């Protein structure tokens, strides 16, 4: 057991692996991470699935069967990805039971091309929920304008949701409102609110990448001092918004009826700038009631040399975080424009990743048919 990861878990941070493959499942690697690395959840995305499929031979038999049956590319993509997620859900079911449904979660994403299609997102979420058919599943839905009503509608049916692609505070507040609306509708439908869970995936390192590039281009004297600080400051202020919303009268009424908190999930926590400490998006965002979904490289780094630095690094740092954001605005880095850029590019990157996954599946089917 990694002492450092165990201490991180005991500090209230749920450690989820940002990766999944049939190789991990069938070799026992994922089970080993659960046992010895305090891993209590898994997140996936199209890029992860595409890499697993292109690099792993363990998909060959299923691909051959799908090709023989004449499955479409979309149908094969659905079958391959839901198979892996179902297996991972089964592996993590004990964790789900031990944590009363809080952890032991596996996330699968609706096709990102539906990001601007509310009805299409709802339909895709229902289909994934039914196909995987596991209580510890999360359906990932992007936090777009059109995604918000889909999130509420899906939650209202008792489907648990991982809201993804959140970059800005206004969008995050809208996500929490959508969560509350979904729970209110579920309550009206007579659904037990304690069975509905959700996390809100707030992206971190991509904020630094965008802001740092703008700081470099600005030639501002403050650039060197402000680089690498926006992502963490933004996330800390998101946690402040989370505390305020969950303590508000609207949500407290739901809590009284059995509702669970929608925990913040720190996403994009792998460090992209090699000049920065490789554990900074873990160490600097330690606070109870959160999830940190990490690439295995980041997890290994924290297991080797990560430090907690006195525990809570979020609620004690609100003033500092606000000061960073104020100084960035003074330096000509306009928050709303940064967030708009990240949201647009985030959806574009997810769509591109999905296209790459579909292309990988198409090639696999063609090769199997030869």
């Amino acid at each position: 057991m990694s002492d450092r990861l165990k201490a991180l878990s005991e500090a209230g941070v749920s450690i989820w692996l940002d990766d999944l493959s049939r190789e991990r499942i069938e070799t026992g690697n994922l089970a080993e991470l659960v046992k010895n690395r305090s891993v209590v959840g898994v997140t996936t995305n199209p890029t992860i699935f595409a890499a697993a499929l292109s690099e792993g031979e363990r998909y060959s038999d299923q691909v051959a069967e799908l090709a023989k049956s004449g499955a479409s590319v979309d149908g094969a993509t659905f079958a391959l990805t839901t198979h892996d997620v179902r297996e991972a859900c089964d592996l993590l079911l004990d964790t789900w039971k031990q944590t009363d449904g809080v952890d032991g979660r596996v996330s699968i994403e609706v096709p990102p091309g539906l990001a601007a299609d509310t009805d299409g997102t709802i339909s895709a979420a229902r289909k994934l929920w039914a196909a995987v058919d596991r209580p510890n599943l999360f359906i990932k839905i992007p936090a777009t304008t059109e995604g918000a009503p889909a999130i509420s509608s899906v939650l209202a049916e008792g489907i648990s949701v991982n809201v993804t692609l959140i970059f800005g505070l206004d969008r995050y507040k809208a996500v929490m409102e959508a969560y509350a609306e979904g729970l209110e509708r579920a309550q009206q439908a007579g659904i037990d609110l304690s069975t509905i869970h959700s996390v809100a995936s707030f992206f971190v390192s991509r904020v630094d990448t965008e802001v740092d590039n703008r700081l470099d281009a600005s030639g501002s004297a403050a650039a060197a001092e402000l680089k690498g600080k926006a992502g963490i400051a933004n996330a800390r202020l998101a946690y402040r918004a989370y505390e305020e919303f969950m303590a508000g009268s609207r949500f407290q009424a739901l809590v009284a009826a059995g509702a669970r908190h929608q925990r913040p999930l720190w996403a994009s926590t792998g460090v992209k700038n090699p000049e920065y400490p490789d554990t900074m998006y873990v160490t600097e965002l330690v606070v109870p009631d959160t999830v940190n979904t990490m690439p295995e490289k980041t997890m290994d780094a924290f297991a080797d040399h990560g430090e907690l630095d006195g525990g809570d690094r979020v609620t004690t740092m609100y003033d500092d975080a606000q000061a960073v954001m104020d100084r960035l605005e003074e330096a000509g880095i306009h928050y709303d424009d940064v967030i708009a850029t990240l949201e647009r590019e985030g959806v574009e990157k997810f769509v591109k990743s999905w296209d790459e996954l579909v292309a990988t599946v198409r090639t696999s089917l063609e090769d199997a048919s030869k």
Side-chain angles (χ1 to χ4, degrees), residues 286-298:
V286 173
V287 64
D289 208 24
T290 55
V291 178
N292 194 306
T293 180
M294 312 176 200
E296 191 169 16
K297 182 179 179 181
T298 301

Side-chain angles (χ1 to χ4, degrees), residues 2-308:
S2 165
D3 290 340
R4 287 186 171 88
L5 289 170
K6 184 173 182 288
L8 180 64
S9 178
E10 290 173 347
V13 179
S14 292
I15 301 168
W16 291 8
L17 175 69
D18 190 25
D19 193 29
L20 180 65
S21 68
R22 202 161 294 183
E23 181 89 6
R24 284 192 185 277
I25 296 168
E26 295 184 355
T27 62
N29 169 264
L30 181 56
E32 188 274 333
L33 292 174
V34 171
K35 180 179 179 181
N36 296 321
R37 291 290 175 116
S38 300
V39 170
V40 293
V42 174
T43 50
T44 65
N45 60 49
T47 301
I48 288 170
F49 278 129
L53 183 60
S54 63
E55 297 170 6
E57 297 180 357
R58 295 177 183 272
Y59 296 90
S60 300
D61 289 347
Q62 188 181 5
V63 169
E65 291 174 5
L66 289 165
K68 186 177 179 180
S69 70
S72 66
V73 174
D74 288 344
T77 301
F78 186 88
L80 290 163
T81 55
T82 54
H83 178 281
D84 282 6
V85 168
R86 191 179 303 111
E87 293 293 308
C89 281
D90 288 345
L91 193 152
L92 284 159
L93 190 61
D94 284 346
T95 301
W96 177 79
K97 292 176 180 177
Q98 291 162 8
T99 61
D100 191 26
V102 173
D103 285 311
R105 295 281 172 174
V106 184
S107 298
I108 188 169
E109 185 175 337
V110 298
L114 298 172
D117 181 350
T118 301
D119 291 341
T121 296
I122 295 169
S123 177
R126 288 171 178 158
K127 186 178 177 183
L128 286 168
W129 184 257
V132 176
D133 192 25
R134 296 295 186 272
N136 51 332
L137 179 68
F138 267 145
I139 305 298
K140 289 176 77 173
I141 297 177
T144 56
T145 301
E146 297 81 3
I151 291 162
S152 296
S153 294
V154 168
L155 288 163
E157 297 179 16
I159 297 173
S160 293
V161 175
N162 175 345
V163 185
T164 190
L165 277 185
I166 307 171
F167 297 97
L169 299 176
D170 286 344
R171 184 72 72 184
Y172 179 40
K173 292 171 185 175
V175 165
M176 290 188 285
E177 294 281 355
Y179 179 54
E181 180 183 333
L183 292 180
E184 288 162 351
R185 289 165 58 183
Q187 184 180 25
Q188 292 169 3
I191 297 173
D192 180 357
L193 297 189
S194 69
T195 65
I196 304 173
H197 290 251
S198 183
V199 292
S201 295
F202 202 86
F203 281 55
V204 187
S205 69
R206 291 194 197 179
V207 175
D208 275 337
T209 300
E210 179 65 24
V211 169
D212 286 0
N213 287 339
R214 295 185 183 212
L215 285 168
D216 286 339
S218 73
S220 167
E225 190 177 343
L226 288 171
K227 285 181 65 174
K229 293 186 177 180
I232 291 168
N234 193 40
R236 286 170 173 162
L237 295 179
Y239 195 84
R240 182 174 68 179
Y242 158 76
E243 286 193 312
E244 291 171 352
F245 187 86
M246 296 301 157
S249 58
R250 181 185 188 187
F251 197 78
Q252 283 303 301
L254 289 165
V255 169
R260 313 285 190 131
H261 283 195
Q262 183 188 51
R263 291 186 297 168
L265 179 153
W266 309 132
S268 184
T269 56
V271 173
K272 294 177 173 58
N273 187 333
E275 296 179 3
Y276 298 156
D278 54 3
T279 62
M280 63 184 267
Y281 298 124
V282 181
T283 299
E284 296 300 322
L285 292 175
V286 173
V287 64
D289 208 24
T290 55
V291 178
N292 194 306
T293 180
M294 312 176 200
E296 191 169 16
K297 182 179 179 181
T298 301
M299 190 180 300
D300 288 344
F302 194 89
D304 180 67
H305 53 265
E307 299 294 341
L308 293 183

